[in-house]
Amino acid sequence: MEKSKILVVEDEAPIQELLQFNLERQKYRIQLADSGEQALEVVGTYMPDLILLDIMLPGADGLEVCKQIKANPKTARIPVIMLTALSEEADIVTGLELGADDYVTKPFSPRVLLARVKAALRRGATKFSNDDDFVSIHGIDIDSARHKVTVNEEEITLTSTEFKVLRLMASQPGRVFTRYQIVDAVHGEDYPVTDRSVDVQIVGLRKKLGEAGRFVETVRGIGYRFKETE
Ligand code: CA
């Protein structure tokens, strides 16, 4: 099977080299772009399976590039992993809400980066729909048609909102959701958004999941994620 194509958008040469070295060692095929403009120029013809996108770029920054990629129907489905500084929390949240799939903070370990790349490619390859009838992960079975959740075969009772939050997150394990994205998915865009209301849902959900509540992870300053692996 041909290895996936990755578009790497990064203006700093040492980081570019580090990314290229590690990705090529895993046999991924790479296209490099030094700027946002260049990335936007090649993305439609190269059609990568994944984009690694630095946020701090000269000219059109990573957020602008992400916005344009997600606004174009041809490229909207390509998963984007942002490369950011840890201090850029607000940018990370904005990027996720613009449709980026994940982020990795600099300085990153190649091992972590490659794991994220693999996970994003896997999610990208799986046709995901929020209406999927059945989600099963870490002993948690979510049956949408029957509105039923079992943890290690034991049924638990969730509110409608808790159910939707769990289904949203568990159907895309490893993906970080901002609070806004969770509210949006659960209630639709018109629902009044408060960070607190999401946090309350998560607390309730974790409690009802019992031991399995540990799979619902807090991502500090960003939002929540359903753990992908044990
Ligand atoms: Ca940069």
Side-chain angles (χ1 to χ4, degrees):
M1 200 177 91
E2 281 245 286
K3 268 287 197 171
S4 305
K5 293 194 287 183
I6 302 177
L7 174 61
V8 175
V9 191
E10 169 65 66
D11 59 315
E12 285 152 89
I15 301 177
Q16 217 182 61
E17 278 162 31
L18 180 69
L19 290 166
Q20 183 171 20
F21 174 78
N22 283 286
L23 293 167
E24 284 184 344
R25 207 162 56 159
Q26 299 297 317
K27 306 278 183 278
Y28 290 116
R29 289 174 290 159
I30 307 295
Q31 167 81 49
L32 296 170
D34 301 314
S35 69
E37 285 79 4
Q38 202 187 339
L40 290 169
E41 221 175 276
V42 301
V43 66
T45 45
Y46 184 61
M47 288 304 285
D49 300 295
L50 175 79
I51 301 169
L52 280 177
L53 178 61
D54 185 28
I55 293 296
M56 297 286 275
L57 294 167
D61 71 5
L63 293 178
E64 178 59 34
V65 174
C66 182
K67 193 171 161 185
Q68 292 199 31
I69 285 168
K70 294 297 174 183
N72 180 346
K74 191 180 169 192
T75 56
R77 291 188 64 88
I78 303 172
V80 172
I81 298 180
M82 299 179 283
L83 300 173
T84 68
L86 192 55
S87 57
E88 293 165 359
E89 271 179 7
D91 285 347
I92 295 169
V93 170
T94 304
L96 291 171
E97 286 171 359
L98 286 172
D101 292 77
D102 201 356
Y103 66 94
V104 173
T105 53
K106 295 177 183 177
F108 51 81
S109 88
R111 195 180 55 82
V112 168
L113 179 92
L114 290 169
R116 298 297 186 78
V117 163
K118 234 169 125 180
L121 284 169
R122 196 162 48 230
R123 285 196 302 268
T126 323
K127 266 215 169 1
F128 161 75
S129 146
N130 201 20
D131 300 323
D132 276 353
D133 282 345
F134 204 80
V135 178
S136 183
I137 181 167
H138 302 325
I140 304 170
D141 293 328
I142 306 165
D143 184 341
S144 294
R146 291 181 184 76
H147 208 279
K148 192 175 138 182
V149 177
T150 59
V151 180
N152 301 323
E153 318 286 316
E154 295 229 4
E155 187 166 355
I156 58 169
T157 309
L158 300 181
T159 66
S160 159
T161 305
E162 288 164 350
F163 183 88
K164 287 181 194 166
V165 171
L166 176 64
R167 188 179 60 180
L168 171 75
M169 295 177 61
S171 55
Q172 297 187 77
R175 178 166 188 167
V176 182
F177 293 90
T178 68
R179 291 177 172 82
Y180 177 82
Q181 285 177 312
I182 294 171
V183 173
D184 188 25
V186 169
H187 294 289
E189 281 188 39
D190 297 335
Y191 193 82
V193 183
T194 67
D195 288 1
R196 174 103 182 106
S197 65
V198 174
D199 295 342
V200 168
Q201 294 298 333
I202 295 281
V203 168
L205 179 58
R206 275 193 187 128
K207 212 165 151 188
K208 290 183 183 173
L209 287 171
E211 257 296 280
R214 72 181 188 281
F215 296 121
V216 179
E217 294 185 313
T218 302
V219 184
R220 270 186 58 169
I222 311 292
Y224 295 99
R225 146 173 78 206
F226 196 88
K227 207 165 190 263
E228 195 190 18
T229 48
E230 279 272 12

